[in-house]
Amino acid sequence: MMTQSFRPLAQVFRLPLAVGFVALLAGCFGGVTKPQPAELQPVTALVSARQSWNTRIGQVDFPLDVAVSGTSVAIASGDGTVALLDAATGREFWRASLNTPVAAGVGSDGKVLAVVTRANEVVALQDGREIWRQKLNAQAFTAPFVAGARVFVLAADRSVTAFDGQTGRKLWAQQRPTEPLVLRQSGVMLAVGDTLVVGLAGRLAGLNPANGSIRWEAPIASPRGINDVERLVDLVGRVSRDGDNVCARAFQASVGCVNATRGSLLWAKPANGMQGIHGDDRMLFGTEADGTVIAWRRTDGERSWTTDRLRYRSLTAPLIVGRSVAIGDFSGFLHLLSREDGSLLNRLPTDGSAIAAAPVLAGNTLIAVTRNGGVYGFKPE
């Protein structure tokens, strides 16, 4: 069993002068018994939800973010297939092949879609055709953020780069001091008013989107431990935003909330999770590394409830759907838990492979993507 002071080694990259794999001794955890996933109990559906469509995109072997804009959904597969779907029906507006594997994506404003390839290129598409491609100085694991006619890229060397959304012209780059290790996992980028909010190591930083200058920084977690792995601190997506209040998780360290107008930390609480969080104006929800699901009060971070009914089931980040919290697991189920107490309200099957990305809601359709490339649309209550 992994303790809080260790990180999943497959999720970590080492950064010397360029991004590379960490060289680690094989079998260092040999002989440790892997915890058994909680057995799923029979469920009585207390909220209705039915599968309305499904389609396929191709195997997902990278940190996928499903991009929602209105009632359209942008998805991608590891082999370089990118598609834009109608969330209500699953019908494809278009599908394109980049002919190169994808490392991060998808970002979209509803018109321009952007991904990052394993060749360290950011690629933008519109109406099913590639409109530009630009080389990056480092690999990226976070989906590009597309807004204000720009494409913003957070790379694994802690740099943020802005490109013109139509031409690909590089507008600016902001480079922060790098740490020896970085997570091979999606990070944090979003807009709050006229500020680009980015996760840089354990800090949320507010950038001027016009020139990249730093407006503020707020620490959610600080490095700790005695070696590079133990000292690794990264903010992970997804995040929960309510007005100027942005709450995020620092990988296996803490959960905290920041006022993104003032750049001030509101609170931070220890938390041992690996996936992002979601919430509303009252509550935040997250999954811990052992599969415990926790609800925190948004005002002060105090716990409201916990449940261990999904322990060791390799859970995704959660999503609020009506009166439910939707969470995916390693066997392809979407679990709908009560927002009020964590009780099980329903369970939705897919193709039996792990849910590959945090579920999303587009219009009134709940969408899940699996590792085997299944894309499922459900109509929840």
Side-chain angles (χ1 to χ4, degrees):
M1 177 178 176
M2 189 179 302
T3 64
Q4 182 170 348
S5 62
F6 291 94
R7 270 43 174 192
L9 303 182
Q11 290 182 270
V12 179
F13 266 43
R14 183 175 293 279
L15 290 171
L17 297 179
V19 178
F21 287 105
V22 181
L24 293 162
L25 291 175
C28 59
F29 293 109
V32 177
T33 302
K34 183 178 180 181
Q36 293 301 304
E39 292 187 8
L40 298 180
Q41 302 302 314
V43 58
T44 300
L46 300 179
V47 297
S48 63
R50 60 179 178 83
Q51 182 183 316
S52 57
W53 57 264
N54 77 281
T55 186
R56 297 196 63 78
I57 183 64
Q59 187 173 12
V60 178
D61 54 1
F62 67 98
L64 172 67
D65 283 303
V66 180
V68 175
S69 182
T71 58
S72 66
V73 178
I75 55 176
S77 64
D79 65 3
T81 301
V82 183
L84 186 67
L85 308 180
D86 181 342
T89 65
R91 178 178 63 87
E92 290 184 8
F93 293 120
W94 55 260
R95 178 181 289 235
S97 178
L98 302 180
N99 298 313
T100 186
V102 169
V106 178
S108 174
D109 62 359
K111 295 181 179 179
V112 174
L113 276 64
V115 300
V116 178
T117 72
R118 292 184 189 172
N120 296 5
E121 294 174 320
V122 55
V123 183
L125 304 97
Q126 187 170 356
D127 298 325
R129 63 181 182 87
E130 182 179 321
I131 56 175
W132 56 264
R133 173 181 305 226
Q134 291 284 7
K135 189 74 173 178
L136 300 172
N137 292 328
Q139 185 58 278
F141 306 113
T142 301
F145 180 64
V146 185
R150 295 178 176 90
V151 175
F152 302 94
V153 178
L154 172 63
D157 62 356
R158 316 288 187 189
S159 66
V160 183
T161 306
F163 300 92
D164 183 277
Q166 286 297 314
T167 67
R169 181 173 63 91
K170 183 176 177 179
L171 302 175
W172 53 261
Q174 173 66 250
Q175 177 70 59
R176 304 297 288 167
T178 62
E179 290 79 12
L181 298 180
V182 66
L183 281 176
R184 189 183 183 275
Q185 188 168 330
S186 182
V188 174
M189 272 200 303
L190 71 155
V192 180
D194 65 348
T195 298
L196 177 68
V197 178
V198 179
L200 297 175
R203 307 178 303 277
L204 274 180
L207 279 63
N208 183 337
N211 57 24
S213 61
I214 300 288
R215 290 174 170 168
W216 53 260
E217 293 187 19
I220 289 179
S222 300
R224 66 197 192 286
I226 59 175
N227 60 49
D228 288 344
V229 173
E230 291 178 338
R231 291 178 58 79
L232 171 62
V233 178
D234 256 334
L235 300 187
V236 297
R238 67 179 24 146
V239 300
S240 174
R241 178 193 170 194
D242 179 51
D244 59 5
N245 182 293
V246 176
C247 302
R249 180 189 292 280
F251 184 85
Q252 290 193 338
S254 61
V255 167
C257 292
V258 169
N259 182 299
T261 299
R262 301 191 303 266
S264 57
L265 178 67
L266 302 176
W267 57 262
K269 298 288 186 179
N272 184 28
M274 299 183 291
Q275 304 293 336
I277 60 176
H278 203 229
D280 57 17
D281 59 345
R282 294 190 309 112
M283 303 293 295
L284 297 171
F285 305 93
T287 60
E288 296 293 89
D290 66 357
T292 301
V293 183
I294 301 178
W296 298 271
R297 293 198 309 239
R298 191 179 196 107
T299 52
D300 56 13
E302 293 302 312
R303 292 189 180 189
S304 177
W305 55 258
T306 67
T307 178
D308 62 0
R309 66 178 66 248
L310 301 177
R311 290 192 78 189
Y312 304 115
R313 297 193 63 84
S314 300
L315 304 179
T316 68
L319 171 76
I320 289 180
V321 185
R323 61 191 183 100
S324 305
V325 179
I327 300 171
D329 77 3
F330 75 100
S331 57
F333 286 108
L334 279 181
H335 305 272
L336 302 185
L337 306 182
S338 167
R339 289 167 59 169
E340 298 305 316
D341 59 12
S343 58
L344 183 61
L345 302 179
N346 207 340
R347 183 185 302 129
L348 309 174
T350 58
D351 62 13
S353 66
I355 303 297
V360 299
L361 190 66
N364 63 345
T365 302
L366 172 64
I367 297 170
V369 181
T370 71
R371 288 287 178 204
N372 286 348
V375 188
Y376 292 80
F378 298 93
K379 298 291 186 183
E381 177 184 309

